[in-house]
């Protein structure tokens, strides 16, 4: 690998390793998932929750891989895949094991699709979301497929081609989705497969953050206010706009701006809330919440039939509490102990000392 063009920008190198406000965005995305699946399945701002999840992931994974490229660590690719597996597989294995044991909605027949990052392809191939307790996994599969390919781009291609690949990935995904009908691509292949554009936007945002002027402009309060205004457009215009392709595309750079702001750190009350330990805890269990929440719904409906229709508010509160409990137990008993093994698989060589403080650009 040629490391010569890869130098971490000083304003990024000065940041502490841990970025707690990015973790807060994970918690917010998790809350959006619970709100839609437990409370309101037809939200006005339809695309924010998944787009935020994807944008944060694309930004952070690019950051991790960029640091690996800077250090020229020879085992970065292999170790990156191992670390991702150690983080993502434990909760997924629990879901598949429980679903297969009870054969929920014919789970055993399609279990292998879901233990592999192929849930989205399963839904497209069969033309249905089955088993329904895996319905959320389409987005995880999109992300995992990105994780498989993106390290090969970031760790081996020259820097100009990396920028080109990120931009081309975004443009191609949007082009295929917007013109799917004209290209003969069925709807079952559109929503679960052609959805990676916010991931590419997150990757592009991180790459552009290497330029101090971009980071400074994006973190400035006028840019952040514009980003928030874009997110609020369905409330300012009409409800249906929040489900349109136009809104879906506008949301992506707006969320990228917010991710950049969180990466460099908000100040004031917003920064205090996003740095709060509760947000950090919710971030830790957010993946378990995401993986288990539909399984929890199934269990409640099996144990308390009729509660959802008869007492929907109580059902929602119980479902949220049970999901948080399941995710917490999973984190401390399963996910965290396995995640500790990641220390044996570093993606970087010599580490630079962390600076005691970091300044926004």
């Amino acid at each position: 690998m040629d490391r010569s063009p890869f130098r971490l920008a000083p304003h990024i190198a000065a940041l502490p390793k841990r970025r707690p406000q990015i973790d807060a965005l994970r918690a917010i995305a998790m809350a959006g998932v619970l709100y839609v699946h437990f409370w309101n399945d037809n939200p006005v701002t339809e695309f924010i929750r998944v787009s935020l999840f994807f944008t944060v992931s694309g930004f952070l994974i690019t950051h991790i891989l960029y640091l690996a490229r800077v250090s020229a660590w020879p085992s970065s690719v292999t170790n990156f895949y191992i670390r991702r597996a150690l983080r993502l597989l434990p909760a997924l294995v629990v879901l598949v094991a429980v679903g297969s044991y009870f054969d929920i909605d014919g789970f055993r027949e399609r279990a292998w699709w879901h233990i592999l990052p192929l849930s989205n392809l399963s839904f497209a191939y069969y033309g249905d979301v089955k088993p329904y307790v895996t319905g959320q996994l389409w987005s995880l599969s999109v992300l995992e497929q990105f994780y498989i390919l993106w390290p090969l781009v970031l760790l081996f291609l020259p820097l100009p081609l990396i920028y080109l690949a990120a931009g081309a990935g975004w443009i191609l995904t949007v082009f295929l989705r917007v013109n799917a009908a004209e290209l003969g691509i069925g709807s079952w292949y559109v929503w679960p497969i052609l959805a990676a554009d916010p991931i590419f936007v997150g990757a592009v945002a991180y790459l552009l953050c290497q330029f101090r002027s971009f980071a400074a402009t994006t973190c400035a309060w006028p840019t952040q206010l514009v980003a928030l205004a874009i997110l609020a457009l369905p409330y300012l215009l009409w409800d249906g706009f929040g489900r349109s392709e136009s809104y879906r595309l506008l949301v992506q750079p707006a969320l990228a701006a917010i991710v950049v702001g969180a990466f460099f750190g908000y100040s004031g009350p917003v920064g205090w809330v996003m740095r709060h330990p509760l947000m950090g805890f919710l971030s830790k269990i957010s993946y378990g919440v995401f993986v288990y929440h539909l399984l929890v719904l199934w269990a409640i409906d099996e144990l308390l039939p009729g509660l959802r229709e008869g007492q929907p508010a109580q059902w929602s509160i119980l479902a949220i509490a049970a999901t948080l409990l399941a995710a917490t137990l999973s984190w401390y008993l399963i996910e965290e102990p396995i995640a500790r093994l990641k220390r044996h698989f570093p993606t970087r060589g010599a580490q630079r000392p962390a600076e005691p403080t970091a300044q926004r650009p």
Side-chain angles (χ1 to χ4, degrees), residues 247-316:
Y247 182 67
R248 182 173 187 166
L249 296 177
L250 285 171
V251 155
Q252 294 173 17
L255 290 175
I258 292 171
V259 171
V260 171
F263 182 71
F264 288 101
Y266 291 108
S267 58
V270 173
W272 181 87
V273 170
M274 294 184 71
R275 291 191 302 269
H276 195 278
L278 177 60
M279 292 297 243
F281 168 74
L282 293 175
S283 174
K284 287 180 181 179
I285 67 170
S286 62
Y287 178 64
V289 168
F290 174 77
V291 171
Y292 297 136
H293 73 281
L294 294 183
L295 182 63
V296 170
L297 292 192
W298 168 81
I300 292 174
D301 288 341
E302 288 291 311
L303 295 172
L304 300 170
L307 181 63
R308 189 193 298 219
E309 291 76 19
Q311 297 176 298
Q314 290 87 337
W315 173 85
S316 296

Side-chain angles (χ1 to χ4, degrees), residues 1-2 6 61-62 65-66 68-69 76-77 80-81 145-169 200 203-204 207:
M1 289 185 288
D2 177 16
F6 280 81
I61 290 305
T62 304
L65 292 170
Y66 198 97
R69 180 68 179 265
S76 292
V77 175
F80 175 83
Y81 292 141
Q145 289 154 16
F146 180 84
Y147 287 167
I148 291 171
L149 298 176
W150 195 234
L152 304 178
V153 173
L154 217 357
L155 295 176
F156 294 105
L157 291 184
L159 190 56
L161 290 183
I162 293 173
Y163 279 89
L164 179 62
F200 285 109
V204 170
L207 294 171

